[in-house]
Amino acid sequence: SAASQDQKFCLQEVLDTFKLCLSEKKEVYLQHYVDGWRGLVKLLNSLGNVFGFISKDAVSKIQILVNHLSGENGSQYVTVQSMVKYEMDNGLVDLTKRGSHPESGCRTLLRLHRALRWLDLFLERLRTSTEDDKTSVMCAEAYNQSLARHHPWVVRTAAGVAFCVLPGRPAFFEVMNVGPPENVVAILGEALPLISEVYQVTEELYAQNNLLDIP
Ligand code: 1PX
């Protein structure tokens, strides 16, 4: 049905959303960033319930950002750049320890930003993989090189368990919903530079503002 089709993840959709993220002046539009994550969460959900604890956290962070976007100061949240400026200028970010702003846009987006690095590494491995490569290994390697260092032991352990039940490469490619493996590889090749660029721009912005380690 049209409704279930709607729910179905398509890799192309996510690619398109990340394409829209960057303005000509290399600003990151928060709305498209959030939409990109929504598409990713759809895929994650179609992989099964074991990933529920991961998608739940992603969804709650997406929701925090959506609330900022639709809130009374929504116009300050159009780009990640304007969000950082607004929250920093107005003392709305807990910079050294958690306090009165547990849901700042800056700290919330930082969590997704770190996950975007994982995605970038994982998808690049997937793109260049061969039939015998294991998604669980590619996923774990990407995780260990990125997100893992920001997660406590319990979360790392739970993530490790979830990776083990990832579908194999053929089933994984199928879930992307864009046809034969060659297509997946081609679309990934197109998408990855864009995702990397969004990551890099955000990383530099956060570095300049000393926001890379906010609690
Ligand atoms: C085209 C293929 C794409 C596959 C789509 C997969 C989308 C994955 C979405 C993952 C989003 C993860 C967000 C995690 C944010 C985070 O680090 N949160 C932690 C810190 O938050 P806090 O508020 O406490 O400072 C939080 O503790 C996280 C808890 C949940 C566990 C996170 C494990 C992350 C593993 C990431 C790899 C996902 C594996 C999916 C397999 C395809």
Side-chain angles (χ1 to χ4, degrees):
S1 72
S4 68
Q5 210 46 40
D6 258 8
Q7 287 307 305
K8 236 184 156 188
F9 171 90
C10 164
L11 185 61
Q12 187 71 56
E13 240 177 85
V14 173
L15 161 67
D16 292 344
T17 321
F18 278 105
K19 255 187 201 160
L20 294 171
C21 267
L22 281 180
S23 77
E24 277 182 23
K25 293 190 298 187
K26 305 284 179 202
E27 292 172 317
V28 179
Y29 292 119
L30 191 57
Q31 184 65 60
H32 295 308
Y33 192 91
V34 159
D35 289 341
W37 276 103
R38 282 208 176 108
L40 291 168
V41 165
K42 277 196 214 171
L43 171 77
L44 190 60
N45 288 338
S46 65
L47 291 175
N49 291 334
V50 253
F51 305 101
F53 75 106
I54 302 174
S55 91
K56 234 172 125 181
D57 187 68
V59 165
S60 87
K61 290 185 166 53
I62 290 168
Q63 191 56 49
I64 291 171
L65 294 174
V66 167
N67 292 346
H68 284 304
L69 269 168
S70 59
E72 56 180 324
N73 297 307
S75 62
Q76 311 281 356
Y77 286 84
V78 171
T79 67
V80 176
Q81 284 74 4
S82 66
M83 173 188 84
V84 166
K85 181 164 186 348
Y86 169 70
E87 290 194 343
M88 293 292 279
D89 287 353
N90 292 281
L92 297 172
V93 187
D94 295 329
L95 294 170
T96 52
K97 60 179 189 352
R98 299 200 69 172
S100 41
H101 307 290
E103 301 204 332
S104 72
C106 287
R107 73 97 47 201
T108 303
L109 189 118
L110 177 61
R111 272 61 190 172
L112 294 178
H113 169 69
R114 290 167 175 167
L116 199 64
R117 176 69 182 146
W118 161 80
L119 185 74
D120 193 29
L121 292 169
F122 175 56
L123 293 183
E124 178 57 17
R125 279 183 165 72
L126 208 57
R127 187 182 75 83
T128 55
S129 63
T130 58
E131 266 167 72
D132 307 324
D133 286 327
K134 283 192 166 15
T135 48
S136 55
V137 173
M138 294 186 262
C139 188
E141 285 174 354
Y143 177 74
N144 290 335
Q145 276 183 32
S146 57
L147 268 180
R149 83 176 79 113
H150 303 289
H151 288 162
W153 182 85
V154 255
V155 172
R156 292 202 305 270
T157 305
V161 170
F163 298 161
C164 290
V165 295
L166 271 180
R169 188 174 173 274
F172 202 89
F173 274 20
E174 198 111 331
V175 164
M176 304 238 197
N177 207 15
V178 285
E182 312 80 271
N183 284 11
V184 178
V185 169
I187 289 177
L188 287 177
E190 209 191 308
L192 278 168
L194 295 165
I195 292 175
S196 299
E197 195 178 9
V198 170
Y199 177 83
Q200 284 310 331
V201 168
T202 310
E203 179 77 6
E204 273 159 38
L205 176 72
Y206 268 62
Q208 280 160 9
N209 288 277
N210 277 319
L211 291 172
L212 285 170
D213 294 307
I214 51 175

